[in-house]
Amino acid sequence: MYMPNRVHIISHPRSGNGKGTIILKEVMQILDGFQLEYINYQTNYATHANLLTKEMIHSSGDRTIDYLLVIGGDGTLHEVVDTLQESKQNIPITYIPAGTGNDFHRTWYPKAGPREIIEGMLFNRQVQDIPIFLFENHLSNRQGTVINSYGLGLDALINARAKANLASVSPSVAKLYHRFNLAYLKAIVESLNTIPHFCLEYTMDGTTYLVDDASMVLVMNTPYIGGGIRLDNRTQPRAHELSLVIYHDITSDAVRDIIPRVFKSHDYQSSPYINQISGQHLRLKVVHDSVLSQVDGETIQQGPIDLSFRLGSQSFYFPKK
Ligand SMILES: Nc1ncnc2c1ncn2[C@@H]1O[C@H](COP(=O)(O)OP(=O)(O)OP(=O)(O)O)[C@@H](O)[C@H]1O
């Protein structure tokens, strides 16, 4: 009889304001119930999941890793995917959300809890290859991956402010912030006074365009950012394409046009301030300005931008529908 080797867990205990620890306990109980052996690699500092993934690969030697469970927020999942892609390891991930935003979970299997997700890994065993984006930073020669979104300008600013808002309050207030996504909503209001404006050049599938006054540029793999805020409804996660969304010419009139679309109608097509274009190969350049950016919710230092994006894929075990 085929005996799978043990379950490798990479967990971020402090994700979701401590939710990571609670979910890890629940997961261990479920695995005990199935009499599965497991080993838990726990993150102790930012970016630690990169190193832990490398250690896990190294320590398994020639043995196949059947089960890799990731527990944490989108940031931890990003780090694991990034390392697997960089090391060219085709190990399917089983992801259990424990973060603040959880946009990946919201996009792919929003209703499933830890038990259903683990049962999907153990009994469904159908690997799903889902599209991710691979990027190359031509200024730093760095490569990386995107599971949810890469954002420039206003989105990155809001994301950074939301994190600062969460860090500045007591744990009990942080819990409330988490529950109602208040840190993000507060950050949106705070950022409206300091909307960035920059000139963007982009090339999609060989055709180059210039946007004189861009404020927010998103390369999206999911319509959601910041824990369920729907910023576009033309982005189809299963479409295997890069979706570029540009918010441009943002004046106070534009803000009045956009806010009801984001929070109520979700009608983005008819806004004169929002463009969307899809394709397979994308290059983004912000040469004359310096902009803040974010990838999967983690802030990247302000600077000029020259990035190429293409499609890649990552294997996952998903729960049964
Ligand atoms: N022990 C730790 N202490 C501090 N930071 C950590 C630790 N472990 C991981 N991190 C960093 O925390 C960041 C956020 O992690 P993660 O996304 O998992 O949780 P979250 O922010 O609560 O959730 P979400 O991204 O869904 O909002 C990541 O960049 C990760 O590198």
Side-chain angles (χ1 to χ4, degrees), residues 188-189 192 247 252-266 268 274:
I188 292 177
V189 175
L192 291 179
Y247 283 58
S252 45
D253 279 351
V255 172
R256 276 194 291 277
D257 172 84
I258 291 167
I259 294 279
R261 295 177 194 272
V262 174
F263 291 103
K264 210 162 168 220
S265 71
H266 303 306
Y268 296 99
I274 309 168

Side-chain angles (χ1 to χ4, degrees), residues 12 14-16 43-47 73-76 79 99-102 298:
H12 174 192
R14 288 166 61 184
S15 59
T43 64
N44 294 323
Y45 54 86
T47 74
D74 291 318
T76 302
E79 286 169 19
T100 334
N102 302 323
E298 302 315 317

Side-chain angles (χ1 to χ4, degrees), residues 11-18 42-50 71-79 95 98-103 148 159 163 166 178 226-227 296-299:
S11 64
H12 174 192
R14 288 166 61 184
S15 59
N17 199 31
Q42 204 152 294
T43 64
N44 294 323
Y45 54 86
T47 74
H48 195 184
N50 288 312
I71 302 171
D74 291 318
T76 302
L77 178 62
H78 170 95
E79 286 169 19
Y95 171 63
T100 334
N102 302 323
D103 285 328
N148 295 325
N159 180 70
K163 283 191 189 298
L166 264 179
H178 275 286
D296 292 330
E298 302 315 317
T299 306

Side-chain angles (χ1 to χ4, degrees), residues 12-238:
H12 174 192
R14 288 166 61 184
S15 59
N17 199 31
K19 207 155 85 186
T21 304
I22 297 166
I23 304 256
L24 174 64
K25 268 194 199 143
E26 188 184 340
V27 165
M28 292 197 295
Q29 274 169 5
I30 297 170
L31 295 177
D32 285 339
F34 287 115
Q35 297 183 332
L36 278 165
E37 256 186 62
Y38 48 80
I39 174 166
N40 180 33
Y41 306 82
Q42 204 152 294
T43 64
N44 294 323
Y45 54 86
T47 74
H48 195 184
N50 288 312
L51 182 66
L52 293 177
T53 309
K54 279 187 194 146
E55 278 176 11
M56 176 197 73
I57 295 167
H58 185 72
S59 67
S60 62
D62 291 339
R63 282 166 299 146
T64 317
I65 295 174
D66 288 315
Y67 299 135
L68 166 57
L69 257 178
V70 178
I71 302 171
D74 291 318
T76 302
L77 178 62
H78 170 95
E79 286 169 19
V80 175
V81 171
D82 209 33
T83 309
L84 291 180
Q85 293 283 327
E86 192 193 329
S87 342
K88 305 213 178 325
Q89 294 284 328
N90 188 18
I91 303 168
I93 297 173
T94 303
Y95 171 63
I96 302 188
T100 334
N102 302 323
D103 285 328
F104 182 87
H105 177 245
R106 195 182 309 275
T107 304
W108 294 100
Y109 43 93
K111 296 203 175 92
R115 178 169 286 278
E116 289 149 289
I117 299 171
I118 291 172
E119 286 177 355
M121 169 184 89
L122 296 177
F123 308 123
N124 196 13
R125 296 211 47 84
Q126 285 206 342
V127 172
Q128 308 246 357
D129 288 328
I130 68 137
I132 57 165
F133 304 156
L134 306 175
F135 68 84
E136 193 175 339
N137 185 335
H138 298 285
L139 301 176
S140 65
N141 285 328
R142 224 199 111 227
Q143 294 174 347
T145 53
V146 182
I147 52 169
N148 295 325
S149 68
Y150 196 113
L152 307 180
L154 184 58
D155 157 57
L157 186 65
I158 293 172
N159 180 70
R161 286 223 165 108
K163 283 191 189 298
N165 285 342
L166 264 179
S168 68
V169 294
S170 67
S172 54
V173 177
K175 258 194 190 139
L176 268 180
Y177 270 33
H178 275 286
R179 195 147 165 223
F180 301 106
N181 207 6
L182 288 182
Y184 209 84
L185 296 174
K186 189 166 173 264
I188 292 177
V189 175
E190 287 166 352
S191 305
L192 291 179
N193 286 332
T194 50
I195 295 175
H197 294 266
F198 52 92
C199 180
L200 169 77
E201 182 189 307
Y202 70 93
T203 306
M204 182 69 95
D205 294 340
T207 309
T208 301
Y209 306 82
L210 203 65
V211 182
D212 288 335
D213 182 5
S215 286
M216 180 157 83
V217 176
L218 293 147
V219 189
M220 302 181 89
N221 199 19
T222 159
Y224 302 111
I225 62 155
I229 296 180
R230 187 181 269 269
L231 271 194
D232 177 62
N233 52 13
R234 292 157 285 189
T235 300
Q236 301 292 334
R238 288 188 192 275

